[in-house]
Amino acid sequence: MRRAGVFVLLGTLAHGSLAASKSLPRGVGPEFSAFYESKATFKCIGNPSIALKSSQINDNSCDCPDGSDEPGTAACAHLDPLSPEQPLLGSPTGTTNTTRALPGFWCANDGHIGSYIPFMYVDDGVCDYELCCDGSDESAHAGGVVCENRCGSIGKEWRRLEEERRQSVERSVKRRQTLVKEARELRRKVEVKITSLKGELESLEAKKEELEKKFEEVQRSERGKVVKGEGRGGKLGVLAGLAKTRVSELRDTLDKVLDQRDDLQDRVEQLEGILTKFREDYNPNFNDEGVKAAVKSWEDYAASATGDKKSELADADIMEVLKEDGESSGINWAEFEEEGASDAAVVYHLEAYLPGFVRDYIHTKINVLRVWLIENGVLADNPDSDGESRLVIAAREALETAKNDISSKTTALEEQKGDLQKDYGPDDIFRAFKGKCVSTDVGEYEYELCWVDKTTQKSKKGHGNTNMGNFVRIDRELADEEERADGKGLGKGQRIVLRYDNGQGCWNGPSRRTHVWLACAETDEVWRVSESEKCVYKMEVGTPAACEAVQEPGVRAKDEL
Ligand code: MAN
């Protein structure tokens, strides 16, 4: 039995319906029957000027230049444009370089599918059941070989396989339809995301504008509170520190003076006691002028000292002044010493000691004046963020947050828009393959295809992974391969080819790249991986995504001959 060759042409109509009429000469296919119907003469198909007797048909002698007089023998098998040229009498070109009129020997194959087989297979002593299941290619002349008709069983098995294939194709097409739906839904989601991002951006822009205005307003009003500072704390901070020290020194001194006063008061009281006793105990009859004058002076002193008491400071008042400064007494210095307190804040705190109506009036007037001075370059603004009030900081942060939000949302929007523009193949189908991978083991590697992402060569010996290319585009290329019995092959025709470039650099060579050829199959499967050229890989992959225009099973076009 011979394997199916490229010269085989399967019938174009359903099996049985094209069976050649019994009156036709052996080997004539149905589409050429009209040329052989006349009983009297036969005109060569390609050269009608050459008329032969009907007995010359299939007489094993090649009389027509196009071989049409020998449809059922191998006599004209040598006529082939592919054969080396040989001188040939009667040939229009004078050589074998001629075109044959008939595609081959017609096997009617009743019960299966009629087909043409190459003339050289006719009567060669081999039953070519794969091509000619009815055995009509052997007429028992060559070596007495008789080929039985096996079309019944072969046809039945063929139809079973074809039915299986048809059902598989049907499932593949349905699977593809599901994938197309998934892809459509994913596209819709991207569109929805774009719409919502656009909306979010619009309101964020409006918010940004509002926050910009607010920030400017706050900056403007807060400027009034900003006093040109000299680092942390500023001049007023320093002044407050000095004042606190000075007040503390004065308080200490007052305390000491108070102690001295008390001492002196004690001594005065002792002296007054002595003099009082002296005045009471002295003898006035003892006419001593010096003693009398001293007593008189003491009596004047005692009378005047009582009147001065009014101007004396109350001890309670002094004690109040001597109390330590704190939250509830004296000055609360802590308020002026706050970490990071600016001059503006100090001024603000000082204002708090003024009566309400005066404070507001002064505050407004001073603010307006300060802003005017700053804006006219008379007073320096404080460029140091340390000098910013919490209000300005908060307004700035809110504005920056809005700006950052806008920036990240704009990036996301651009990404989504770019994704929508990307080529995901026919019907956008590979959109449904995002994030999916398939792999196969070949030798020491596992080869992985992550669809619209990358291809990877994974060492099974623990040598790590190698990037074989990143997805770049979708192309189409013509495949020209024999059909495989298991159907896991590219076959013939236009195929989708996914390109993956710029993978890991090849030692002493360019970056690795992969061409992923796709053919229709029920499930995603990497069939084969080859490295035709160093670091240039070819993956043959079956997938329902490639089941675009599926051919009717068992039918082949004439130009495939
Ligand atoms: C590794 C593999 C091979 C490749 C060589 C190139 O062994 O990635 O596929 O051919 O490197 O040096």
Side-chain angles (χ1 to χ4, degrees):
M1 210 182 269
R2 246 183 288 260
R3 66 177 191 87
V6 287
F7 297 102
V8 176
L9 176 70
L10 294 176
T12 50
L13 297 177
H15 54 84
S17 62
L18 277 184
S21 146
K22 285 212 166 38
S23 60
L24 288 174
R26 182 182 180 222
V28 174
E31 65 265 53
F32 297 98
S33 60
F35 295 105
Y36 298 90
E37 270 160 7
S38 163
K39 303 282 179 217
T41 53
F42 171 74
K43 288 176 183 167
C44 298
I45 296 173
N47 313 78
S49 58
I50 305 174
L52 303 174
K53 286 184 269 176
S54 54
S55 59
Q56 285 180 278
I57 296 174
N58 286 339
D59 66 349
N60 226 2
S61 158
C62 196
D63 300 313
C64 287
D66 60 2
S68 53
D69 60 314
E70 295 298 317
T73 75
C76 298
H78 59 280
L79 292 179
D80 192 329
L82 300 175
S83 305
E85 285 187 28
Q86 290 170 31
L88 190 69
L89 287 173
S91 148
T93 58
T95 73
T96 53
N97 185 14
T98 190
T99 308
R100 248 191 336 237
L102 304 171
F105 175 91
W106 173 251
C107 292
N109 293 341
D110 283 351
H112 187 31
I113 293 171
S115 72
Y116 286 103
I117 65 166
F119 285 111
M120 62 180 72
Y121 291 4
V122 178
D123 292 333
D124 61 350
V126 179
C127 298
D128 294 294
Y129 285 123
E130 277 184 25
L131 313 168
C132 198
C133 62
D134 61 6
S136 61
D137 56 320
E138 297 303 318
S139 58
H141 294 146
V145 174
V146 177
C147 301
E148 60 175 341
N149 186 335
R150 294 187 182 169
C151 284
S153 57
I154 291 176
K156 193 174 167 199
E157 177 61 7
W158 184 87
R159 283 191 292 281
R160 189 187 67 77
L161 290 173
E162 274 308 301
E163 178 56 15
E164 252 178 31
R165 199 180 91 87
R166 192 193 61 74
Q167 285 180 8
S168 167
V169 166
E170 210 171 81
R171 284 193 296 271
S172 308
V173 169
K174 275 200 183 125
R175 173 89 190 104
R176 185 178 190 280
Q177 284 166 353
T178 310
L179 287 168
V180 169
K181 267 189 208 152
E182 276 173 32
R184 207 172 295 145
E185 181 54 20
L186 286 170
R187 187 181 185 83
R188 200 190 60 79
K189 277 187 183 158
V190 175
E191 284 165 349
V192 167
K193 181 100 191 136
I194 288 176
T195 313
S196 102
L197 278 170
K198 277 184 182 165
E200 282 174 51
L201 271 169
E202 247 172 56
S203 54
L204 269 174
E205 286 291 349
K207 190 175 166 191
K208 189 190 98 180
E209 253 175 57
E210 203 180 287
L211 286 170
E212 260 166 358
K213 271 189 212 146
K214 214 171 243 174
F215 176 57
E216 275 166 26
E217 265 168 36
V218 171
Q219 246 186 341
R220 198 175 144 78
S221 79
E222 291 295 296
R223 259 180 198 161
K225 295 177 195 166
V226 177
V227 178
K228 192 181 178 189
E230 289 185 351
R232 203 167 271 276
K235 276 183 180 173
L236 283 176
V238 173
L239 181 63
L242 291 173
K244 185 189 173 189
T245 315
R246 191 80 182 127
V247 166
S248 168
E249 281 170 7
L250 288 171
R251 187 176 285 126
D252 288 347
T253 309
L254 178 61
D255 202 23
K256 283 176 193 153
V257 169
L258 211 59
D259 286 346
Q260 276 181 6
R261 183 204 71 170
D262 290 345
D263 283 350
L264 289 173
Q265 228 161 20
D266 279 352
R267 289 172 72 88
V268 167
E269 272 168 23
Q270 279 177 29
L271 280 171
E272 281 179 351
I274 292 167
L275 287 171
T276 305
K277 197 160 176 22
F278 167 73
R279 185 187 156 273
E280 283 166 3
D281 293 347
Y282 89 99
N283 187 354
N285 300 325
F286 211 73
N287 212 3
D288 186 331
E289 284 306 315
V291 172
K292 280 183 180 174
V295 169
K296 174 77 177 75
S297 298
W298 160 247
E299 283 170 350
D300 289 348
Y301 161 81
S304 68
T306 327
D308 279 342
K309 288 263 183 211
K310 272 186 215 160
S311 59
E312 261 181 28
L313 262 176
D315 272 8
D317 291 342
I318 297 170
M319 292 320 289
E320 193 57 38
V321 171
L322 282 178
K323 268 191 195 166
E324 279 295 322
D325 287 331
E327 272 181 41
S328 54
S329 65
I331 300 168
N332 184 9
W333 294 105
E335 283 194 37
F336 303 99
E337 293 168 343
E338 265 176 27
E339 181 68 18
S342 67
D343 289 342
V346 171
V347 170
Y348 221 50
H349 287 307
L350 288 176
E351 282 174 0
Y353 288 86
L354 301 170
F357 71 95
V358 182
R359 183 173 62 224
D360 292 346
Y361 177 77
I362 289 176
H363 181 75
T364 315
K365 291 287 166 199
I366 288 179
N367 258 2
V368 170
L369 175 65
R370 279 180 181 156
V371 171
W372 184 87
L373 288 171
I374 290 165
E375 284 175 355
N376 290 281
V378 180
L379 196 64
D381 196 354
N382 190 351
D384 188 346
S385 65
D386 282 355
E388 272 184 344
S389 77
R390 287 191 182 92
L391 213 56
V392 176
I393 292 169
R396 182 199 296 286
E397 279 172 1
L399 178 60
E400 268 161 19
T401 307
K403 279 181 180 170
N404 289 343
D405 251 17
I406 287 176
S407 153
S408 64
K409 291 230 154 65
T410 306
T411 311
L413 178 63
E414 289 315 311
E415 267 173 25
Q416 298 295 325
K417 277 183 177 172
D419 186 65
L420 220 52
Q421 298 302 316
K422 242 188 191 171
D423 179 14
Y424 280 103
D427 296 323
D428 222 17
I429 195 153
F430 292 108
R431 196 176 281 282
F433 285 73
K434 272 174 143 187
K436 291 182 188 167
C437 304
V438 269
S439 62
T440 190
D441 280 4
V442 181
E444 58 177 302
Y445 298 110
E446 178 195 345
Y447 288 91
E448 186 183 61
L449 161 69
C450 290
W451 289 92
V452 278
D453 185 11
K454 62 181 177 186
T455 52
T456 312
Q457 187 185 50
K458 297 180 172 179
S459 167
K460 289 197 277 185
K461 291 182 178 168
H463 297 316
N465 298 349
T466 305
N467 181 313
M468 296 157 60
N470 302 302
F471 175 69
V472 277
R473 64 174 188 282
I474 299 171
D475 283 344
R476 292 203 181 245
E477 248 191 89
L478 205 58
D480 186 14
E481 288 182 13
E482 287 302 317
E483 293 286 349
R484 289 177 185 256
D486 60 3
K488 295 182 176 181
L490 298 177
K492 296 182 196 303
Q494 283 277 333
R495 298 287 175 258
I496 296 172
V497 184
L498 310 179
R499 309 281 188 205
Y500 296 75
D501 287 353
N502 296 317
Q504 199 166 308
C506 194
W507 190 74
N508 261 349
S511 305
R512 285 173 170 79
R513 60 204 157 98
T514 313
H515 307 296
V516 177
W517 287 68
L518 305 182
C520 175
E522 213 176 314
T523 50
D524 298 333
E525 190 183 345
V526 180
W527 291 330
R528 270 168 297 283
V529 183
S530 51
E531 195 178 347
S532 49
E533 206 182 299
K534 199 173 173 192
C535 295
V536 180
Y537 305 87
K538 178 180 183 183
M539 275 189 181
E540 291 170 54
V541 179
T543 171
C547 304
E548 285 174 280
V550 182
Q551 265 185 3
E552 279 300 306
V555 175
R556 282 192 223 172
K558 197 173 178 180
D559 56 14
E560 279 185 29
L561 187 72

